[in-house]
Amino acid sequence: MSGRLDGRKIVFRLNDKSFLSYLRARFVLQIFDSFTAENEFNWTGFKTVVAAPIVEELVYRALIFNIYNASEGYLVFVLPLYFGFAHAHPVIAKIGTPELKTEIARAHLKLAYTTLFGAYSGWVFVRTKDAGFTNIWGAIMLHAQCNYFGLPSFHILFDRSVVLKRRVIFGFLYLLGILLFWLMYQFCI
């Protein structure tokens, strides 16, 4: 580890008294480690986890939300379509190629989950709106976390080469996550 900055020392010096601080430190360390591989900076990881969330949330939440003079419901449920369609651009590069049909199928999936995420991020933005520009950080951190973890691998539930017990466990955990998310949402309303 010579020549590398030890992020553990930096993070734990900020606040090392609570479990939440520990979890935050682990997340920061994982991001820090994903940017460096063999002493080489990973620009793709930086773009995905840092730059894209900041730029996209500033554009789609702070800027577009403030341009439209509409109800919060419109801002949360209609404007995320802009966010979703903005992530469907890889289809353009595949026009005229044999991969076009596959890319269109991917674009539909990506449109669905990015629009859903855009609605959730918009809801977080609207619900935390109390201090002007500072509320954007909740949406940015949520976006960074989503980009870091990515979309769950639902295909494992249907892959017959995976042991049934493991598929059942994954399915249970996915459903538990959805249930806990719904309960959290009910609590926050």
Side-chain angles (χ1 to χ4, degrees), residues 63-165:
L63 185 64
I64 292 180
F65 267 41
N66 289 317
I67 287 174
Y68 282 89
N69 188 16
S71 68
E72 288 181 352
Y74 181 82
L75 298 175
V76 170
F77 295 110
V78 176
L79 289 182
L81 288 170
Y82 291 112
F83 184 75
F85 279 111
H87 287 83
H89 63 84
V91 171
I92 296 169
K94 299 293 182 181
I95 292 176
T97 66
E99 298 92 20
L100 181 62
K101 286 185 181 180
T102 305
E103 196 59 48
I104 289 173
R106 279 190 196 135
H108 280 93
L109 176 65
K110 194 179 259 192
L111 176 66
Y113 75 79
T114 54
T115 301
L116 259 169
F117 174 76
Y120 178 56
S121 184
W123 180 80
V124 167
F125 181 75
V126 167
R127 293 285 296 188
T128 60
K129 194 173 184 177
D130 62 356
F133 188 72
T134 58
N135 64 332
I136 194 69
W137 289 108
I140 289 172
M141 294 307 291
L142 181 67
H143 195 146
Q145 180 185 5
C146 182
N147 283 4
Y148 180 75
F149 289 113
L151 189 65
S153 300
F154 292 109
H155 66 83
I156 198 169
L157 300 175
F158 307 103
D159 187 354
R160 300 247 182 228
S161 66
V162 177
V163 179
L164 179 63
K165 183 178 178 181

Side-chain angles (χ1 to χ4, degrees), residues 32-70:
F32 179 79
D33 288 342
S34 71
F35 292 152
T36 57
E38 314 244 344
N39 292 329
E40 189 173 311
F41 192 76
N42 181 351
W43 285 105
T44 303
F46 178 80
K47 173 197 69 92
T48 303
V49 179
V50 177
I54 291 172
V55 171
E56 290 178 2
E57 293 304 324
L58 285 174
V59 168
Y60 291 102
R61 304 299 159 241
L63 185 64
I64 292 180
F65 267 41
N66 289 317
I67 287 174
Y68 282 89
N69 188 16

